[in-house]
Amino acid sequence: MIAETVVDTTALLSELLASLGLQEPPPGEVTISGRDPIWGARYPIGEAAAVVLAAIGVAVNDLWELRTGRRQKIHVDVRRAAASLRGHWYQLLDGEETPREDHLGLVYSDRYQCKDGRWIQLHGGFPHLGEGTSKVIGSEHTFESISAAVKQWDAFELEDALAAAGMCGVVVRSGEEWRATEQGKALLQIPPVQVVKIAASDPVPLPPGDRPLAGLKSLDLTRVLAGPVSGRTLAEHGAEVLHITSPNLPSVPPYVLATNPGKLSAYLDLSSPEDSDQLLGLVSEADLFVQGYRAGSLERRGFGVEELARRRPGLVYVSVNCYGPVGPWRDRPGWEQLGQSATGLAMGQGGPEHPTLMPAQACDYGTGYFTALGALVALGRRAREGGSYRVAASLCQTGMWLERLGMHCNPEDAVGLGDVSDLYVHYDTTIGRLSQFAPALELSETPPHWARPAVPLGTHPARF
């Protein structure tokens, strides 16, 4: 493997493949070029992303070999991998940026210092989260009011109060502190993505097709950003991905465009019995069911993993959330900022006096890649030995994996992307000329690409 990298990407890839039961690829099959720091992060997040993308390439190659008996060359450039961690910032519509809309000023999505001197990361970017957070801490919707209100709380007391109210908030911890928590201890026992066979069934051969995932169908019930990135990644390799969301849920339109390439997009409201029945019908056709709801939410509606695996033997059921599939925090809501702050990344990036988020969404995009990797591994196992599978990834599993790599980079040495014109792919869509970064993974025989452009939510009927 050719890699002038900060970390040993060869060893890291081997370790990741072994954790998922994947065989080492033949010598020379995988190359990783370039090095960090691309962004001003202390952690080698570009190289880490390149390793996960390379592992995706190996898993895709395994499926391609099942189809054709052939393998292909895999290459990942660290610059392109790092670029993918901020891709939505470079997205253009008719030549203009598509910046994120301002939800309640996003003043809640910041770190605030508490009475005891500790920092807490809040997140209230959507209206119901901002209003609920304000109610708990006793503030108005301004930075000054929130800062003053948080100063009246001890950090861990506020963390517990927010959790009890179903709101988002986590004390900024060091990696060592996080690993000492009950949640951290639970996550230490599992890899960054978990693949578990949950039921026996006959092997399911890959359907005919000229791409690695051609003919495979995936339901994508996720939003902002990790879950949708996993579906986008599957679509890059030919999967038919149908994104389903409720018309009643808030969204961030630029993020939708950034993560919906290659997908169909439809509305279903699961509070409607008719729509719920329609989704069950789609499950009967699907190979994968990917969901990003809080633990227990879909179970209460009849869409839990055991129920769907019983209805659809051979289903690969994928869950993605903030805090992981195990532990006392598994049902708490959370986002990128909380994943970084909980697992030690923010303290590592900025220090204990002024913890700072890394300048890229490494937990979100990294978790999206890990989620897709787990789905690919499960599909391969299903084809060879049969069975239904549960796949689980989370922002904190990814955060712990990144934090374990260590702080090898000086942010002052960051080189950035330079001229990004070579990174774009362009589509003419119903809403204008959409320019986005192309997939970062390179394959010699089946180049990853999106067969259809991104569309706004609810553009299509709810059918494959």
Side-chain angles (χ1 to χ4, degrees), residues 245-299:
T245 191
S246 168
N248 302 316
L249 288 174
S251 67
V252 185
Y255 286 3
V256 170
L257 292 177
T259 57
N260 257 4
K263 303 179 189 178
L264 301 167
S265 182
Y267 282 137
L268 287 177
D269 180 358
L270 297 190
S271 63
S272 160
E274 294 80 7
D275 284 9
S276 185
D277 287 344
Q278 189 172 357
L279 182 58
L280 284 174
L282 290 167
V283 170
S284 68
E285 302 178 50
D287 300 282
L288 297 118
F289 183 91
V290 186
Q291 63 93 4
Y293 289 86
R294 291 176 61 179
S297 177
L298 288 186
E299 285 83 350

Side-chain angles (χ1 to χ4, degrees), residues 85-92 97-100 255 361 365:
L85 304 179
R86 285 183 58 111
H88 59 277
W89 289 104
Y90 291 84
Q91 180 174 258
L92 303 174
E97 294 181 2
T98 58
R100 176 174 173 170
Y255 286 3
Q361 282 78 354
Y365 283 96

Side-chain angles (χ1 to χ4, degrees), residues 234-247:
L234 297 174
E236 290 173 13
H237 302 287
E240 185 81 345
V241 180
L242 174 57
H243 182 253
I244 299 288
T245 191
S246 168

Side-chain angles (χ1 to χ4, degrees), residues 9 45 74 174 270 393 441:
T9 53
I45 55 175
I74 299 164
S174 68
L270 297 190
L441 175 62

Side-chain angles (χ1 to χ4, degrees), residues 369-452:
Y369 297 149
F370 272 124
T371 304
L373 174 60
L376 292 164
V377 170
L379 288 171
R381 290 183 59 183
R382 187 184 75 156
R384 290 186 295 268
E385 65 186 69
S388 300
Y389 293 85
R390 177 177 59 81
V391 176
S394 70
L395 303 181
C396 284
Q397 285 167 264
T398 301
M400 293 174 73
W401 183 75
L402 291 170
E403 197 273 337
R404 183 171 61 84
L405 299 182
M407 293 176 283
H408 298 280
C409 302
N410 182 350
E412 295 181 0
D413 294 335
V415 298
L417 298 180
D419 180 4
V420 297
S421 59
D422 63 312
L423 301 179
Y424 279 108
V425 63
H426 307 277
Y427 297 96
D428 289 317
T429 76
T430 58
I431 58 173
R433 178 75 163 171
L434 186 61
S435 303
Q436 300 172 309
F437 283 173
L441 175 62
E442 299 173 56
L443 298 173
S444 60
E445 193 171 341
T446 61
H449 66 276
W450 299 301
R452 53 171 59 94

Side-chain angles (χ1 to χ4, degrees), residues 102-122:
D102 193 9
H103 296 281
L104 292 179
L106 296 179
V107 293
Y108 295 98
S109 302
D110 207 341
R111 289 153 308 291
Y112 292 88
Q113 196 165 27
C114 297
K115 180 171 60 177
D116 55 6
R118 296 294 300 252
W119 292 81
I120 192 163
Q121 172 72 56
L122 304 180

